[in-house]
Amino acid sequence: MIDFAARRWAYMERIGDGVAILPAAPTFIKTADQEHQYRPDSDLYYLTGFAEPEAVAVLAPHHPDHKFILFVRPRDKTMETWNGRRAGLEGARQRYGADAAYPIDQLDAVLPQYLEGVSAVHYHFGHDKVFNDRVHGWLAAMQRKVRNGITAPHIMVDTQVILHEMRLRKSPDEVALMRRAAEIAAAGHRKAMSTTEPGQREYEVQAELEYVMRKGGAMGPSYGSIVGGGFNATILHYHENSDILNDGDLLLIDAGAEVEYYASDITRTFPVSGTFTAAQREVYEVVLWAQEAALGQCQPGKRFCDVHGAAVRTIVEGLVHLGVLKGHVDDLIAQEAYKPYYMHKTSHWLGMDVHDVGVYKVGGEWRELEPGMVLTVEPGLYFGEDTDSAAARYRGIGIRIEDDVLITHDGYDVLTKDVPKAIDEIEGLMRKRSAAAAMP
Ligand SMILES: [Mn+2]
């Protein structure tokens, strides 16, 4: 159970006499009058637990009475009958703990009063241009009134500076939710591995996997599931998931679950037939070694770049071993000779957002890993349709192995360890599938 009030107090302590403005995420139209499923803004939800659209939270630690203000949609019997329940003004106070609540349509009239006498406004200039303009409008209007003795805020601070640093370090209750998101997705991946058969469509495997995740209590996938067989496995963000899975091809699945707005993010690659070919095995072992090398860097005091550096070194050593690259490992790394086959980074932060908040460099230096940070470790190798002749033997092989990793006091904890990734474990799980199918 997340203690949102405790989070707000911790945050307000850190913004001092500043005021934070946190708007709800906009809704997006899918087609005509149909909306995409609503996903609350992570910053707003992190501090309030409020998940409705058309809302704004204001945190004003300097205010004597109203430190937490919510602007929300008022109750409306007809609208609620059609579109779902609303907390309304009373719910904002009683269920979400707001000191004051106003209808959202009073935002322009009421919000500026909470900015008087305040030095800094904390706000995320990210993506909502319309709301950016409103914030600027309030500040400009206040600055026009300074001759009347009003003090207008003169510092704009992005929520990246304080709030995103808090979100980067996961508390034990957040880790518990992320662990659940990881376990549910792991169960989905195991199900995919143990039901895939040659001749199936990619979406049939996607359906098995997503069924297990939703049935297991996830809100749904944390991002669009990638289920790609054969050459589709060499397309990093393949999303059609519609082709036939052929005997002899690899299947790459990159899919995670969302649990109370916390994400998991897992990739596994396995043979459609249940048995790796010799060429697939050679490449798979390189990627697995690279992941092990990268995991070895996941400990407090190591820098974010060390994880990628270890993966790249092992990938290059492997490509030399496979005869795909020729030369000295250090030179090949310096020349980025691996980029045609390994073109993405090894890690990103993971949390409420799949590519979670938190800057990667501090003062120009890659930041040090600390206990409570969660990152993915996901090296890969891809030999696409236009692979050069040196790698012709591996053409059509796309492999990525991705786990979610919590940095602990003495090392790391792999949250997604319940999905097999060693070759014999994968083949063992898939053999049970054939045995079950063969039973009378
Ligand atoms: Mn990822």
Side-chain angles (χ1 to χ4, degrees):
M1 207 35 205
I2 300 280
D3 186 348
F4 294 102
R7 279 184 183 170
R8 279 196 299 278
W9 282 109
Y11 180 53
M12 286 196 285
E13 214 160 79
R14 296 175 70 175
I15 65 174
D17 72 341
V19 162
I21 301 173
L22 303 144
T27 53
F28 292 100
I29 297 294
K30 188 175 180 189
T31 75
D33 59 351
Q34 298 301 310
E35 289 176 356
H36 279 287
Q37 189 180 341
Y38 187 68
R39 169 58 161 79
D41 176 80
S42 297
D43 281 345
L44 173 66
Y45 188 85
Y46 179 86
L47 289 171
T48 65
F50 194 77
E52 292 180 29
E54 296 179 73
V56 175
V58 176
L59 296 178
H62 71 289
H63 197 281
D65 309 309
H66 300 170
K67 298 188 189 302
F68 172 30
I69 305 105
L70 267 177
F71 293 84
V72 300
R73 301 175 305 182
R75 298 292 307 270
D76 180 319
K77 197 170 185 325
T78 307
M79 291 301 283
E80 288 182 61
T81 298
W82 284 85
N83 299 325
R85 297 185 179 89
R86 298 176 171 189
L89 304 188
E90 205 178 286
R93 285 189 296 264
Q94 288 182 357
R95 286 184 12 227
Y96 294 92
D99 302 312
Y102 303 94
I104 186 69
D105 62 8
Q106 288 179 22
L107 186 66
D108 289 316
V110 175
L111 188 140
Q113 80 188 41
Y114 290 107
L115 301 178
E116 278 183 34
V118 166
S119 60
V121 171
H122 296 254
Y123 169 68
H124 184 45
F125 305 96
H127 23 247
D128 191 341
K129 191 178 176 311
V130 175
F131 203 87
N132 286 353
D133 290 347
R134 284 176 88 175
V135 174
H136 283 285
W138 300 326
L139 294 175
M142 290 181 70
Q143 270 154 10
R144 283 195 291 275
K145 289 194 272 187
V146 288
R147 282 186 302 269
N148 306 340
I150 280 183
T151 315
H154 59 280
I155 306 168
M156 292 289 275
V157 186
D158 196 277
T159 44
Q160 178 183 294
V161 179
I162 295 176
L163 186 54
H164 293 181
E165 287 294 299
M166 286 175 64
R167 282 179 51 194
L168 175 59
R169 297 168 181 84
K170 275 70 181 177
S171 61
D173 48 3
E174 291 181 284
V175 169
L177 290 175
M178 293 191 71
R179 209 179 279 284
R180 238 180 82 213
E183 286 166 1
I184 291 170
H189 278 264
R190 285 200 308 274
K191 177 77 170 179
M193 257 180 214
S194 58
T195 54
T196 294
E197 297 280 357
Q200 282 180 330
R201 293 272 174 182
E202 290 162 344
Y203 55 71
E204 295 180 66
V205 180
Q206 177 186 5
E208 293 284 355
L209 179 133
E210 292 182 0
Y211 171 83
V212 169
M213 296 202 300
R214 187 70 175 118
K215 179 109 173 167
M219 293 164 145
S222 49
Y223 53 92
S225 302
I226 297 167
V227 182
F231 279 107
N232 296 340
T234 67
I235 301 168
L236 299 182
H237 292 155
Y238 174 73
H239 60 266
E240 289 88 349
N241 299 354
S242 56
D243 282 347
I244 288 180
L245 295 166
N246 297 309
D247 204 334
D249 281 350
L250 288 174
L251 173 58
L252 183 151
I253 301 180
D254 184 343
E258 190 173 36
V259 171
E260 290 185 41
Y261 305 118
Y262 284 85
S264 56
D265 183 358
I266 303 179
T267 309
R268 287 292 186 270
T269 310
F270 57 90
V272 171
S273 70
T275 311
F276 287 84
T277 65
Q280 290 166 353
R281 182 180 283 261
E282 289 162 23
V283 179
Y284 191 91
E285 279 174 346
V286 172
V287 179
L288 194 57
W289 286 330
Q291 208 215 19
E292 279 164 15
L295 287 170
Q297 299 297 309
C298 292
Q299 44 185 294
K302 293 286 187 183
R303 293 189 185 276
F304 184 81
C305 61
D306 296 334
V307 182
H308 183 56
V312 164
R313 177 161 292 274
T314 308
I315 290 278
V316 169
E317 286 168 359
L319 289 172
V320 169
H321 176 74
L322 298 179
V324 174
L325 294 181
K326 289 189 172 54
H328 292 289
V329 169
D330 288 323
D331 298 339
L332 295 167
I333 292 172
Q335 296 156 7
E336 300 189 330
Y338 55 87
K339 281 255 175 107
Y341 317 105
Y342 182 36
M343 59 296 282
H344 59 79
K345 287 275 192 284
T346 305
S347 303
H348 54 80
W349 304 129
L350 183 71
M352 296 189 75
D353 296 324
V354 176
H355 295 162
D356 205 29
V357 295
V359 292
Y360 291 91
K361 281 189 172 181
V362 178
E365 295 280 345
W366 290 103
R367 83 182 306 153
E368 279 186 15
L369 301 176
E370 298 170 29
M373 293 178 177
V374 179
L375 67 159
T376 64
V377 178
E378 48 177 313
L381 272 173
Y382 312 91
F383 299 91
E385 278 162 332
D386 52 357
T387 297
D388 52 53
S389 56
R393 169 174 164 74
Y394 303 117
R395 193 170 288 147
I397 294 180
I399 294 170
R400 181 163 63 253
I401 306 172
E402 174 177 32
D403 282 302
D404 303 343
V405 177
L406 167 72
I407 303 298
T408 61
H409 284 280
D410 53 1
Y412 65 90
D413 184 3
V414 178
L415 304 179
T416 45
K417 54 173 135 344
D418 295 349
V419 206
K421 63 184 171 189
I423 286 177
D424 54 346
E425 286 173 4
I426 291 174
E427 291 184 342
L429 180 59
M430 295 188 74
R431 255 196 308 278
K432 282 185 210 150
R433 165 207 66 166
S434 335
M439 278 197 296

